[in-house]
């Protein structure tokens, strides 16, 4: 097999993925997938929250305040993953010039910033009775605040530029540079202050995780929040694509009139 | 490259409002702080490195939009883009000119302003060293932010919103090193991290900034 054939074959193997980058195919595929994703959100998030809030025992040290974990941990996780997804989508736009990539990154930003705010607020509400303070300059809290600022800057740049392609390019560059600096800030903040926040609630390699009674509904809400994010990004990207098409139609109309 | 540097320096010095303004702003911030927190020497000495760092950072921010904006408006940026000098080189030179007219004066003034903040003996030296190492990073990051917003009508406020979060690591390590140095503690780690940030930023951000300018002027 020559090298060319091999690259062609590998390109074919990835075709199913790049199909999504074609706006028409994207509309078609997401149109079909959307009810399923919304359905998945409903059947995981709502039972997960109800289970977590009403059918788990109260922890000895924390009382019922422990139940905020079902909102706090999933949204904190999604706040970071949304930024990661924006980074990947921006790279796809810069490298392959697929509009869906740029528009998906744009669509994800407001969702991500809302998750960041939810994580910060629920953390503050939990911290008040537990740590005796709404806010502490703890590394985790501080990094999230900085992440929030990055989201704000990213969205402001999108809003400030009129030409959609220029905006997509510049925000993609900002997303890449911002990601590097976000990681850098995380380490800087770690160095700067030792924290109050407990370690990760969930990780695969940890010996001790949250006890099973809490863990099971938490998994449900985690899956639910991912599905919710995907559903929202689908809806928002579809809106963006439709708006773009509408804009193109309007332009064509005006050209025809002139 | 040298011609461009000389031209930028000349413009900054002669055009007025750029060169001395940052320094005056820095002085005013330093003067205002004691009015806000009270004149007790001990408190002032404790917060002095942080205040000087934040003041230098804000003064640096003040002149960022001048890096590319004027050249964009009168068309010289388009000429630079078609010149044999690669855009990356032009960005580095412009950031260097910004540093020479803003960062370096701030660095030289900071130990003197430290006296106003009741800073004690080794502190002056360390604020000078940390600013000397850190301000090139501030200029370079700022040049990147200016490159992103160069085509915008009202880019000033947006520029601060974009650039300030990027300044966080530099500020943390710089102020930490200055504080530790002033208190006579070990400074190797924060100084090395600060130097690392500056080196990394000068090495990589010109490419990002040049890409942003090319996007903006196409």
């Amino acid at each position: 097999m020559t090298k060319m054939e091999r690259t062609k074959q590998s390109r074919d193997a990835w075709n199913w993925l790049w199909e999504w980058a074609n706006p028409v195919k994207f509309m078609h595929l997401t149109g079909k997938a959307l009810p399923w994703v919304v359905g998945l959100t409903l059947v995981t998030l709502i039972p997960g929250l109800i289970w977590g809030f009403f059918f788990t025992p109260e922890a000895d040290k924390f009382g019922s305040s422990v139940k905020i974990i079902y909102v706090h941990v999933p949204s904190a996780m999604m706040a970071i993953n949304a930024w990661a997804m924006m980074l990947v989508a921006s790279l796809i736009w810069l490298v392959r010039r697929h509009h869906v990539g740029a528009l998906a990154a744009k669509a994800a930003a407001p969702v991500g910033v809302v998750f960041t705010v939810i994580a910060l607020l629920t953390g503050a509400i939990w911290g008040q009775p537990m740590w005796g303070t709404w806010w502490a300059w703890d590394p985790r809290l501080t990094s999230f605040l900085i992440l929030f600022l990055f989201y704000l800057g990213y969205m402001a740049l999108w809003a400030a530029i009129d030409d959609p392609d220029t905006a997509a390019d510049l925000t993609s560059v900002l997303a890449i540079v911002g990601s590097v600096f976000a990681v850098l800030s995380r380490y800087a903040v770690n160095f700067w202050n030792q924290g109050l926040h407990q370690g990760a609630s969930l990780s695969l390699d940890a010996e001790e995780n949250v006890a099973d009674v809490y863990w099971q509904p938490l998994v449900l809400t985690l899956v639910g929040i991912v599905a919710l994010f995907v559903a929202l990004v689908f809806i928002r990207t579809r809106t963006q694509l439709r708006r773009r098409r509408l804009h193109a139609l309007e332009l064509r109309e005006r050209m025809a009139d002139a | 490259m040298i011609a461009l540097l000389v031209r930028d320096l000349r413009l900054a010095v002669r055009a007025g409002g750029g060169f001395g303004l940052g320094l005056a702003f820095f002085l005013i911030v330093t003067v205002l702080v004691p009015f806000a927190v009270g004149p007790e020497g001990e408190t002032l000495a404790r917060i002095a490195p942080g205040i000087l760092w934040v003041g230098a950072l804000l003064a640096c921010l003040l002149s960022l939009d001048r890096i590319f904006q004027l050249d964009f408006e009168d068309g010289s940026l388009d000429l630079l883009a078609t010149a044999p000098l690669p855009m990356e080189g032009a960005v580095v030179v412009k950031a260097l000119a910004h540093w020479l007219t803003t960062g370096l004066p701030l660095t030289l003034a900071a130990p003197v302003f430290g006296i106003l903040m009741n800073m004690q003996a080794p502190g002056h030296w360390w604020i000078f060293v940390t600013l000397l190492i850190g301000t090139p990073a501030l200029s370079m990051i700022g040049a990147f932010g200016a490159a992103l917003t160069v085509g915008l009508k009202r880019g000033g406020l947006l520029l601060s919103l974009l650039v300030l979060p990027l300044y966080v690591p530099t500020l943390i390590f710089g102020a930490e090193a200055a504080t530790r140095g002033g208190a006579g503690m070990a400074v190797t780690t924060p100084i090395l991290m600060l130097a690392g940030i500056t080196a990394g930023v000068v090495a990589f951000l010109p490419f990002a900034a040049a890409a942003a300018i090319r996007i903006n002027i196409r």
Side-chain angles (χ1 to χ4, degrees):
Chain A
M1 203 190 300
T2 65
K3 193 173 174 222
M4 218 170 150
E5 278 170 21
R6 226 174 314 150
T7 42
K8 185 167 183 306
Q9 200 176 35
S10 73
R11 207 184 301 142
D12 291 344
W14 286 98
N15 258 350
W16 61 271
L17 182 64
W18 297 117
E19 296 272 283
W20 288 76
N22 177 328
V24 180
K25 292 254 174 63
F26 181 85
M27 291 300 275
H28 183 70
L29 285 168
T30 50
K32 272 190 180 164
L34 197 52
W36 294 96
V37 183
V38 172
L40 180 66
T41 312
L42 293 179
V43 301
T44 50
L45 200 55
I46 294 174
L49 286 178
I50 294 175
W51 184 1
F53 284 156
F54 301 112
F55 299 102
T56 51
E58 300 192 350
D60 10 312
K61 260 181 288 175
F62 302 114
S64 56
S65 75
V66 73
K67 292 174 179 179
I68 209 163
I69 191 180
Y70 299 110
V71 184
H72 180 71
V73 173
S75 37
M77 177 194 76
M78 260 348 274
I80 298 170
N81 287 359
W83 184 275
M85 177 248 148
M86 280 157 55
L87 174 65
V88 173
S90 301
L91 282 172
I92 290 176
W93 159 252
L94 279 184
V95 175
R96 299 196 54 141
R97 312 303 288 179
H98 292 311
H99 280 100
V100 170
L103 293 180
K106 184 187 184 185
V111 185
V113 83
V114 169
F115 282 134
T116 314
V117 171
I118 292 175
L120 283 170
L121 286 182
T122 52
I125 293 167
W126 188 83
Q128 214 289 322
M130 286 306 122
W131 298 339
T133 171
W134 295 99
W135 180 261
W137 288 97
D138 163 276
R140 274 179 193 240
L141 275 64
T142 315
S143 332
F144 255 77
L145 197 61
I146 298 169
L147 181 66
F148 176 65
L149 295 177
F150 275 109
Y151 270 120
L152 285 190
Y154 179 86
M155 282 159 50
L157 190 61
W158 261 112
I161 303 167
D162 296 328
D163 179 59
D165 277 6
T166 311
D169 279 339
L170 291 177
T171 50
S172 300
V173 174
L174 179 67
I176 294 166
V177 174
S179 304
V180 176
F181 275 88
V183 173
L184 211 57
S185 305
R186 176 82 182 103
Y187 284 100
V189 162
N190 257 341
F191 170 80
W192 164 75
N193 195 358
Q194 308 304 321
L196 276 174
H197 199 291
Q198 56 268 64
S201 308
L202 301 169
S203 53
L204 296 175
D205 55 344
E207 297 242 325
E208 218 177 307
N209 270 325
V210 184
D212 276 355
V213 254
Y214 302 112
W215 155 250
Q216 288 150 357
L218 186 56
V219 171
L220 264 187
T221 53
L222 283 171
V223 174
I225 215 104
V226 174
L228 176 66
F229 174 74
V230 173
L232 287 174
V233 170
F234 274 0
I235 294 171
R236 293 181 54 86
T237 313
R238 285 166 66 82
T239 316
Q240 297 286 345
L241 281 169
R242 287 212 173 99
R243 179 187 283 172
R244 227 169 62 94
R245 204 185 293 164
L246 199 63
H247 184 65
L249 283 177
E250 265 176 7
L251 280 182
R252 204 180 301 163
E253 195 100 318
R254 224 174 292 158
M255 296 274 266
D257 286 347
Chain B
M1 277 182 108
I2 292 168
L4 182 62
L5 179 65
V6 171
R7 167 185 172 274
D8 269 18
L9 288 178
R10 225 177 250 155
L11 275 177
V13 176
R14 289 186 192 164
F19 188 54
L21 205 63
L23 214 52
F25 179 84
F26 187 32
L27 176 64
I28 289 173
V29 169
T30 322
V31 170
L32 283 184
V33 168
F35 293 144
V37 300
E40 293 85 11
E42 251 173 62
T43 323
L44 286 180
R46 197 167 52 77
I47 61 173
I51 295 295
L52 289 174
W53 253 93
V54 170
L57 190 146
L58 292 177
C60 189
L61 189 71
L62 207 61
S63 50
L64 284 182
D65 58 338
R66 296 175 143 262
I67 299 184
F68 298 115
Q69 194 65 41
L70 294 176
D71 287 345
F72 178 74
E73 277 163 12
D74 67 9
S76 17
L77 205 57
D78 297 304
L79 290 180
L80 272 179
T82 51
L85 175 68
M87 189 46 95
E88 284 81 2
V91 169
V92 173
V93 170
K94 284 189 153 289
L96 178 65
H98 179 262
W99 181 73
L100 285 174
T101 53
T102 313
L104 191 60
L106 290 177
T107 307
L108 295 173
V112 185
F113 293 176
I115 298 170
L116 290 177
M117 299 292 290
N118 195 30
M119 216 176 206
Q120 297 309 314
H124 301 102
W125 167 246
W126 285 111
I127 194 77
F128 173 76
V129 170
T130 53
L131 280 176
L132 190 66
I133 300 176
T135 40
L138 298 185
S139 286
M140 195 58 239
I141 297 171
F144 168 67
L148 277 182
T149 54
V150 71
L152 297 175
K153 293 281 180 302
R154 295 170 303 277
L157 202 58
L158 180 64
L159 179 61
S160 340
L161 184 59
L162 293 180
V163 165
L164 284 179
L166 300 179
Y167 277 171
V168 168
T170 322
L171 175 65
I172 288 178
F173 288 119
E176 181 75 25
T179 312
R180 286 190 183 189
M185 290 188 287
V187 291
T188 324
T189 319
I191 285 272
L192 285 181
M193 290 301 288
L194 185 66
I197 288 175
T198 301
V201 153
V202 171
F204 292 112
L205 271 190
F207 297 98
I213 288 183
R214 282 196 207 100
I215 294 162
N216 261 324
I217 60 175
R218 77 172 166 221

